[in-house]
Amino acid sequence: MTNGFAAGLYPHYDLRTRIQHTKLDTGMTGIPPARMSRMEEPATVDFKGVLSGLVEHFNNEINAPDNLMKDVMTGKDDVDIHDVMTSMAKAEINVSVATTVVGKIIQTYDKIMQIQV
């Protein structure tokens, strides 16, 4: 009786050629290591910019179902009713997350205000 390798029952994979290499220093030759100096600078460094970007993204996600519904009603071929339903579900999730985040921020503010200095 032979084992599975000898009988050819198991596939043979060349893992060295199938592995996708990253820019991290793996110790392998031919792959340049990652350097910390090559990291990108953040696009916005202030809290106001980040918050306004989040609000703008939230606003776009909330308006997406209406825009897609208008496209469906006008008969555009590239928009399907399933796209409208998907964007409505995304908008609902975004509203739920935003409501939860605002609630947590208010709770945190109340806790901070209760701290006696």
Side-chain angles (χ1 to χ4, degrees), residues 5-25:
F5 289 110
L9 297 176
Y10 298 110
H12 176 68
Y13 294 114
D14 185 14
L15 294 180
R16 284 194 173 263
T17 59
R18 294 184 66 169
I19 294 174
Q20 293 181 346
H21 299 289
T22 63
K23 293 182 179 179
L24 298 175
D25 188 9

Side-chain angles (χ1 to χ4, degrees), residues 14-115:
D14 185 14
L15 294 180
R16 284 194 173 263
T17 59
R18 294 184 66 169
I19 294 174
Q20 293 181 346
H21 299 289
T22 63
K23 293 182 179 179
L24 298 175
D25 188 9
T26 59
M28 301 175 90
T29 58
I31 302 172
R35 297 185 186 116
M36 295 303 286
S37 61
R38 294 179 59 189
M39 293 181 63
E40 297 178 8
E41 294 295 323
T44 57
V45 292
D46 59 340
F47 181 72
K48 180 181 176 184
V50 171
L51 192 60
S52 65
L54 288 174
V55 169
E56 182 179 337
H57 176 70
F58 177 75
N59 198 18
N60 290 339
E61 288 290 326
I62 295 300
N63 292 331
D66 293 334
N67 296 335
L68 286 174
M69 184 60 86
K70 288 176 189 174
D71 291 342
V72 167
M73 298 298 249
T74 57
K76 289 193 177 181
D77 292 334
D78 60 339
V79 180
D80 192 9
I81 192 67
H82 296 100
D83 297 332
V84 176
M85 297 303 293
T86 303
S87 65
M88 287 176 74
K90 284 182 182 179
E92 184 178 342
I93 290 171
N94 281 331
V95 168
S96 176
V97 168
T99 305
T100 303
V101 167
V102 168
K104 293 292 183 181
I105 289 172
I106 291 171
Q107 286 177 358
T108 304
Y109 177 77
D110 287 341
K111 287 181 181 180
I112 290 172
M113 294 309 289
Q114 292 175 357
I115 295 174

